[in-house]
Amino acid sequence: MTSRLMWLRWSWRDLRQRWVLVLAIALTIALGTGAYAGFTGTADWRTRSYDASYAKLRMHDLRLTLTKGTTAPAGTLRRLVAGIPSAGRVRAVSERLVVPTQVAASHGGRRILVAGRLVGAAPAAAVDRVHVYAGRQVAAGESGRAVAVLERAFARHYDLPSSGTVRISGGTPVHYVGQGSAPDYFSPASDSGIPMIGESGFAVLFVPLATAQRLAGAPGRVDEAVLTLAPGTDPSTVAGQLERALGSGPTPLSGTVTVRADEIGYHALYEDINGDARFFDIIALLLLLGAAFGAFNLTSRVVEAQRREIGIGMALGVPRTRIAARPMLLGVQIALLGVALGLGVGTVVSRAMAGLLTDLLPLPVWNTPFQYRTFLLAALLGFALPLLAVAWPVWRAVRVRPVDAIRVGHLAARGGGLAPLLRRLRVPGRGYRQLPLRNVLRNPRRTALTSLGIGAAVTIMITVFGMLDSFDAMLGDSEHEANRGGAGRIVAQLDGYHADGSAQVRAIAAAPGVEGATPLLTVPATARHADGGSVSLIVELRDLGAGGWRPTLTAGSLARHPGGLVLSEKAAHDLGVRPGDSLLLRHPRRSGQAFTLTDSRVTVAAVHPNPLRTVAYLDRSRAGLFGLAATANAVEVLPAPGTDPARLEQTLFAMPGVAGVQTATEGVDALREGVGQLTGILDIAAGVTLALAVLIAFNAASISADERSRENATMFAFGLPVRTVLGMAVAESALLGTLGTAAGIVLGQGIDRWMVRVQLARTMPEIGFDVTLAPGTYLTALLLGIVAVALTPLLTARRLRRMNIPATLRVVE
Amino acid sequence: MTSGPNGPWGAVLDGHSVGRRSGWHATAEAERGQEVADVDTAVGTAGRAATGTRIDLDGVCRRYRVGRTTVTALDGVDLHVDENAFVVVLGPSGSGKTTLLNLMGALDAPSAGRIRIAGRDITAAGPRELQRFRRRTVSFVFQSFNLFPGLTALENVQFGADVAGREDAGGLAADTLAQVGLGDRVRHFPHELSGGEQQRVAIARALATGNPVLLADEPTGELDFRTGVQILGLLREQAQAGKTVLVVTHNREISRVADRVVELSSGRVVADGPPSAGRADVSELHW
């Protein structure tokens, strides 16, 4: 017992003697394991929170939506549902009227005018309930009055009070009495189907059904029904029955039925968890690997320093197991410290992630319990890592003959590695300038471990920033395409279908500040190709042969395929079509006052570079295909020179028949803001990465300073100044940093490519991303991987200046 | 003595630079009557005619704090070493020999007393001046060689020439290595050389500086007899070639080859004079 205590005390002394290094190793392990636990643990509590939130507000299982611009008398859709064979499996139905509008919420001197939506439903609806975070619900007695609950994320973004007044299209005031959200709008999606459009660019007003009907001028009308089904019911079976029922009633209707899993907001949230989980797994694994390399390197060094003592033990006949016990005990102590600190780091990362996500998503239920299982796994890794790192050099040490181990300078005089291979390679200048390169080469294992540790950090940085670059490039392309040849274009959405020569269209064209006005028609459609899947489109019918704005064509030609469809590159890729191919377009067609869905075969004429997959164009001459010849539901306005676009927007907003006003780039701006919110998560990853890279570099520099102390003392004895010795250390670190950065950039490019092409394509299929790495990202990687790493030896300057030269020169290994 | 253009050490360096300008001069091996196996005894023939430098220590004390205890390593040492002398500092372990060497090499500072090299008081010099002093006036040979493991033998020697600011450091290093009998080992790394070869590289590195004072701390401590004798022969030649050479050792036999033996005990000089048993040639040594 006494003997064991003596060994324990001895290892404890080892630990105290090298406490800075021990703390550095423990911190490295803590960063790796803590980030691993913190990042990978989010998937579980996010899924639980989403499930609980959707359940609490009774998210619909199916949504039946009539074709845009059409409505049906209230009760029609409820009766339609009651008539399907599986009506008994339907638990609840709620009819709604969803009206696109514009919301003006100017507040505190800030002009706020964004696209929005009135969602009218019964105040006590059993499906898609509204959860109020601030203020109150709309009371039953307020039905029909212009009273609403304002969507919370929008309100919070602009720091709006919990109650107030906003104006909708036509300048109608709406008083909101609270801030809340409904399941469809946890993650709002724009009309073009792009998720995460950003809370700043989209405002939803939850109003009683009667209020929506009154404000939209559609009394007694609805355009949507949402349903919940009994547990165990197959939603696609019921959806099929509903689709058939739509066209078979006495008054045929056209519309679409969407199952919950296909709801863009819902799908995006869960897919986001999976995408994030895959992303975080990679980041966490890289961090763990970086930490492993760093810890391995450091711990090996601690044990290497004891090799002579190990040799003495062997010479004295101490059993190998007992010899190994002391360094292994040191490893255990480092491991325990690393795990303890790792739990702390993990908790911090986990809390930061929870704070960020709860802030980002206004869910009614957020359940973020401590993830014991993930932390246990991380703790096991954190514990095993230093033990393995200790075991390897101990194994090497006990294999050395005692006579070698106890020989003075056994380790000091070694100069092997790759250095002999390069004995003829000389760096220009004085002899000692050879030292940094030789030092890097003479211990390839340590060089590789340090470089890989730095490389792992650079890899993460390239991956994280590379994704942001791809987002930026996508937004830039989109913006460039929207602005090209027609900067300042404004699109006024009409409240329905109007003839080109109607009073509403003429009034817009004649509005002050309008230089030109072009009627547009936008219709939803689904494109199908025999060899590919299906893609939802928003087809914009505009005059593609005349002047004004036209999309850029990156392939194909309208002259060759007149009247053909112009698809986005992403849609063409996903459908597997090229210009000249034909595809089937399922679209609404007006017949009298009703719409029916019909299939038409169209030729793909060309592709355009807008990264948004849904955006497609047809020449207006094809409007007859939709039964909408010479009809418009939007007007594109070009402001007259010198006109303030904001003032023109306000003017158009106040005109009768105008449902919304947007600049051509507003959608992109909103998307940019949405992306901006997500970068907070990446910032946490970048912060941990930076800390790890600097720690690894500092530790490497610190080890070098320790190991080279006798060499440094010799240089001082020969009169070399501290700055020269430091300069050589900086050069050596720069070499290590260069190796690590090169490896990190190569690996980072590969992972970034995979993240963008596979993960982002799965999470956001509606957006086409190109793999882009901006020069700034490379520069950041070089700054971190080479410059920051190269400068870390400067932190050892004080130690060098205070070196006891005679004592160091006499140190025996 | 006037201060030269090189600052406080100008006087020392002036003398030094005169030696440099005068180039290498031949000292016939036969003149010295020495012959040491396996060593090119013609070091002096290619050695630089660096004029030795006088060293004066007056009342030098060096005390260390070890916990709450004060240890006196040197206690009032007065020592005056003439130019071109080959002095052995002798004493048992802990007598203060290495401390004395470190003080003379400006690696350490005395707690009391004054050290003058070539008439300049180094105890009053600042860190930069001391660095310059080490670059241009003294050079060291260590017991455990302290070669740079990442540099070849040639590059280690070139290091010495480089830091001392000598021109054609590469050629000088090659010549010096040839002079210590390692002309065929120039591209070997230290771990590829025997202990004796490593010490010869260390001596070559010190010689390549061209500095007038050579300080050697137990230079034969890790070597076998035969190699140790070779090394002593080399050092002796340096004194004959005009350098001031101080060798610290605990081996009384070695002191027989010195011009003068300074014996230390408990930090004090207890004997100072020619070898008590008479001066011997390196070939006569036994241990």
Side-chain angles (χ1 to χ4, degrees), chain B residues 20-162:
Chain B
R20 278 192 182 154
R21 282 194 296 272
S22 62
W24 302 83
H25 78 123
T27 304
E29 182 182 337
E31 281 178 33
R32 297 196 303 274
Q34 295 174 356
E35 187 172 338
V36 179
D38 297 334
V39 178
D40 179 358
T41 51
V43 170
T45 63
R48 200 177 58 178
T51 306
T53 299
R54 184 176 170 78
I55 301 170
D56 298 294
L57 280 74
D58 296 305
V60 169
C61 295
R62 183 66 176 102
R63 299 183 196 93
Y64 302 99
R65 295 279 299 176
V66 181
R68 293 180 179 177
T69 315
T70 300
V71 176
T72 303
L74 287 178
D75 189 8
V77 171
D78 294 313
L79 182 65
H80 304 279
V81 179
D82 294 331
E83 291 118 351
N84 310 342
F86 183 52
V87 177
V88 166
V89 180
L90 189 67
S93 183
S95 60
K97 334 182 269 298
T98 300
T99 303
L100 183 69
L101 202 72
N102 290 336
L103 289 172
M104 287 194 275
L107 294 180
D108 198 1
S111 311
R114 196 165 61 151
I115 301 171
R116 283 175 298 160
I117 310 286
R120 294 293 300 184
D121 187 355
I122 65 168
T123 51
R128 279 171 184 267
E129 293 167 81
L130 291 179
Q131 271 173 13
R132 188 174 175 78
F133 167 75
R134 291 200 294 269
R135 277 203 301 276
R136 298 295 175 99
T137 305
V138 294
S139 48
F140 291 90
V141 176
F142 305 102
Q143 179 180 1
S144 50
F145 326 136
N146 287 350
L147 296 178
F148 299 109
L151 298 182
T152 61
L154 182 72
E155 289 161 345
N156 265 287
V157 179
Q158 193 183 335
F159 169 86
D162 274 335

Side-chain angles (χ1 to χ4, degrees), chain A residues 494 496-506 519 590 620 629-633:
Chain A
L494 302 178
Y497 295 97
H498 298 269
D500 285 355
S502 64
Q504 286 90 343
V505 175
R506 279 188 282 115
R590 189 161 72 174
R620 281 205 83 206
T631 305
N633 59 0

Side-chain angles (χ1 to χ4, degrees), chain A residues 493-747:
Chain A
Q493 297 287 340
L494 302 178
D495 59 359
Y497 295 97
H498 298 269
D500 285 355
S502 64
Q504 286 90 343
V505 175
R506 279 188 282 115
I508 290 170
V514 174
E515 184 177 70
T518 310
L520 297 176
L521 181 65
T522 55
V523 287
T526 305
R528 285 191 172 82
H529 185 246
D531 301 331
S534 67
V535 166
S536 295
L537 302 175
I538 303 291
V539 183
E540 187 174 292
L541 289 99
R542 58 163 55 238
D543 196 346
L544 296 175
W549 187 88
R550 278 180 292 174
T552 308
L553 304 184
T554 53
S557 152
L558 284 163
R560 200 164 171 186
H561 306 287
L565 188 65
V566 181
L567 285 174
S568 66
E569 287 172 346
K570 177 77 163 77
H573 173 267
D574 290 354
L575 287 165
V577 294
R578 289 186 298 183
D581 291 347
S582 70
L583 50 72
L584 207 59
L585 198 67
R586 171 162 288 190
H587 59 88
R589 180 182 172 82
R590 189 161 72 174
S591 174
Q593 287 306 305
F595 281 86
T596 53
L597 280 177
T598 184
D599 290 335
S600 304
R601 186 156 288 282
V602 294
T603 303
V604 177
V607 292
H608 65 80
N610 193 323
L612 304 185
R613 184 174 71 170
T614 54
V615 178
Y617 302 97
L618 263 179
D619 192 84
R620 281 205 83 206
S621 61
R622 301 296 305 276
L625 200 66
F626 305 89
L628 294 167
T631 305
N633 59 0
V635 179
E636 184 175 274
V637 168
L638 200 59
T643 304
D644 176 15
R647 186 176 290 274
L648 182 56
E649 277 187 65
Q650 294 280 9
T651 304
L652 296 173
F653 175 62
M655 294 179 74
V658 174
V661 184
Q662 276 192 316
T663 61
T665 57
E666 235 165 67
V668 182
D669 295 341
L671 195 57
R672 189 186 292 281
E673 192 142 346
V675 169
Q677 290 169 3
L678 296 180
T679 57
I681 295 170
L682 301 180
D683 286 343
I684 294 176
V688 177
T689 306
L690 190 69
L692 185 69
V694 170
L695 197 58
I696 289 172
F698 171 72
N699 290 340
S702 186
I703 290 174
S704 292
D706 271 353
E707 289 185 331
R708 309 273 153 69
S709 57
R710 272 219 307 177
E711 290 177 47
N712 293 339
T714 305
M715 290 190 219
F716 293 144
F718 275 82
L720 273 189
V722 172
R723 65 173 183 279
T724 307
V725 176
L726 264 180
M728 283 192 273
V730 165
E732 188 179 331
S733 284
L735 284 171
L736 288 172
T738 304
L739 286 173
T741 304
I745 286 177
V746 170
L747 194 60

